[in-house]
């Protein structure tokens, strides 16, 4: 049974019309126009954790932020890809999670402000994330990837690209309600749709089509569910059952485990999309798992060796 706070979240999403860009194709196209003409600010909140230092540098034409714990020796690095349907800028919840990871996992966290649609597309953004991970490996040693929703797609697609083109296996990739098949063709999505107060297939198809750029929708840089998972590093995956991405998440878990990948899967009944980012007891519990999995991956030698679980 979800907590009282978690039961309020669907009501809040509907009242604030957070689902407007996703439930209709027209809503998605309108959101793209709005964000293209009037981009939202992306900088960190003025009041974040006092035990984390934030710096910023310019990488090509986009800013890249680094969050470092103020006390203790930082070990390794986490590259975090924020969600938002590839059209919405980084939000306060993403900053808060990144700062919590840096402080509690005692690691540096890199937050790239990647280009959004219509200017950012998978054929450009995924290789850029891979290059960032490679550069951070040279600077920090072990690097993990993490991301939520659209950022989960970016993270998993990047991990696959690193394996295939650079023979790099990451010690851990954390996926929070990831988008996995942008064709949204899984027939079970229709069963979940009435329960989801946030995402919708009609708008999601428009956003996914713009994000893929010139690539086929089945290219793993766009839809990582179509990849071969053999030899991929360990995954930590979260999903709520009131999320239309759930059917594909279950497929991912099954395919990855069948390929010998170690998967730590957390599915919560009646919870919504990206529930680990919500200010709820379930969200706090999930964030603790995120932090523990990343801390362990960055302190345990040879943790990137895949194995069945």
């Amino acid at each position: 049974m979800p907590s009282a706070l978690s039961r309020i979240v669907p009501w809040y999403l509907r009242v604030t019309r957070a689902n407007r860009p996703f439930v209709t194709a027209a809503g998605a196209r309108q959101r793209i126009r709005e964000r293209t003409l009037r981009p939202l600010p992306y900088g960190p909140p003025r009041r974040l954790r006092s035990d984390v230092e934030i710096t910023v540098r310019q990488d090509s034409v986009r800013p890249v932020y680094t969050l470092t714990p103020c006390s203790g020796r930082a070990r390794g690095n986490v590259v975090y890809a924020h969600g938002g349907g590839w059209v919405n800028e980084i939000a306060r919840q993403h900053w808060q999670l990144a700062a919590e990871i840096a402080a509690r996992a005692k690691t540096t966290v890199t937050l790239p402000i990647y280009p959004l649609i219509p200017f950012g597309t998978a054929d450009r953004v995924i290789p850029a994330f891979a290059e960032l991970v490679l550069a951070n490996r040279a600077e920090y040693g072990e690097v993990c990837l993490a991301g939520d929703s659209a950022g989960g797609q970016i993270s998993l697609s990047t991990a696959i690209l690193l394996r295939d083109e650079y023979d790099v296996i990451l010690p851990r990739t954390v996926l929070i309600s990831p988008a996995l098949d942008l064709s949204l063709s899984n027939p079970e999505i229709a069963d979940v749709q009435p329960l989801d107060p946030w995402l919708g297939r009609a708008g999601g198809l428009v956003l996914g089509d713009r994000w893929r750029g010139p690539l086929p929708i089945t290219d793993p840089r766009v839809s990582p569910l179509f990849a071969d998972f053999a030899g991929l590093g360990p995954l930590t995956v979260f999903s709520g059952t009131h999320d239309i991405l759930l059917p594909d998440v279950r497929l991912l878990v099954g395919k990855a485990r069948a390929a010998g990948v170690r998967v730590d899967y957390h599915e919560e009944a009646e919870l919504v999309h990206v529930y680990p980012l919500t200010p709820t007891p379930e969200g706090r519990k999930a964030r603790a798992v995120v932090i523990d999995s990343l801390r362990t991956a960055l302190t345990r030698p040879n943790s990137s060796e895949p194995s069945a679980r």
Side-chain angles (χ1 to χ4, degrees):
M1 184 69 157
S3 66
L5 282 174
S6 283
R7 291 196 298 273
I8 291 173
V9 170
W11 170 84
Y12 174 80
L13 293 170
R14 291 188 174 100
V15 167
T16 59
R17 300 184 66 192
N19 63 353
R20 189 162 55 94
F22 305 107
V23 294
T24 67
R29 287 191 284 267
Q30 177 61 26
R31 176 53 57 89
I32 294 170
R33 285 193 294 269
E34 290 172 356
R35 293 295 182 258
T36 303
L37 290 172
R38 300 177 183 86
L40 294 182
Y42 52 74
R46 291 188 179 277
R47 293 187 178 181
L48 206 55
R49 296 181 67 109
S50 61
D51 53 356
V52 170
E53 179 185 3
I54 305 174
T55 58
V56 63
R57 61 184 173 83
Q58 199 79 4
D59 182 5
S60 183
V61 297
R62 300 291 289 182
V64 177
Y65 287 87
T66 301
L67 289 76
T68 308
C70 294
S71 62
R73 176 177 174 268
R75 185 182 181 103
N77 174 253
V78 176
V79 174
Y80 193 92
H82 72 81
W86 310 280
V87 70
N88 290 319
E89 198 51 88
I90 185 171
R92 174 181 291 271
Q93 293 87 343
H94 301 123
W95 281 108
Q96 290 170 337
L97 176 57
E100 190 173 1
I101 291 170
R104 295 181 56 196
K106 295 298 181 185
T107 186
T108 59
V109 177
T110 300
L111 268 175
I113 306 301
Y114 60 91
L116 305 171
I117 54 176
F119 307 115
T121 49
D123 61 305
R124 296 169 52 205
V125 173
I126 303 305
F129 263 83
E131 291 172 5
L132 178 60
V133 170
L134 293 173
N136 283 10
R137 280 167 56 88
E139 181 173 357
Y140 300 111
E142 289 283 22
V143 176
C144 294
L145 275 164
D148 65 282
S149 192
Q153 177 268 316
I154 291 172
S155 294
L156 184 54
S157 291
T158 300
I160 292 165
L161 183 68
L162 286 165
R163 178 201 62 184
D164 293 346
E165 296 194 5
Y166 299 97
D167 198 28
V168 169
I169 308 300
L170 301 181
R172 178 70 56 174
T173 300
V174 175
L175 307 172
I176 299 172
S177 303
L180 298 167
D181 174 4
L182 273 58
S183 74
L184 297 175
S185 56
N186 191 321
E188 295 182 13
I189 289 174
D191 298 328
V192 184
Q193 182 68 87
L195 305 172
D196 192 329
W198 200 345
L199 302 185
R201 186 173 185 275
L205 287 172
V206 172
L207 297 171
D209 185 63
R210 298 296 293 272
W211 174 248
R212 72 180 177 89
L215 299 175
I217 202 73
T218 56
D219 190 298
R221 288 168 291 180
V222 177
S223 298
L225 190 61
F226 291 95
D228 175 8
F229 295 108
L232 202 64
L235 304 175
T236 298
V237 186
F238 299 85
S239 183
T241 62
H242 289 191
D243 182 348
I244 64 168
L245 303 183
L246 170 69
D248 287 339
V249 170
R250 288 175 173 172
L251 287 179
L252 165 70
V253 172
K255 286 185 64 175
R257 284 176 172 166
V261 177
R262 194 183 339 150
V263 181
D264 180 21
Y265 180 45
H266 302 267
E267 180 178 306
E268 291 293 334
E270 301 181 48
L271 296 192
V272 300
H273 184 61
V274 298
Y275 78 87
L277 274 70
T278 62
T280 63
E282 295 89 344
R284 286 192 292 273
K285 179 181 176 182
R287 291 192 294 275
V289 174
V290 169
I291 291 161
D292 183 64
S293 67
L294 292 170
R295 181 195 300 114
T296 301
L298 292 170
T299 57
R300 181 178 298 166
N302 303 320
S303 59
S304 61
E305 294 181 4
S307 62
R309 176 171 180 166

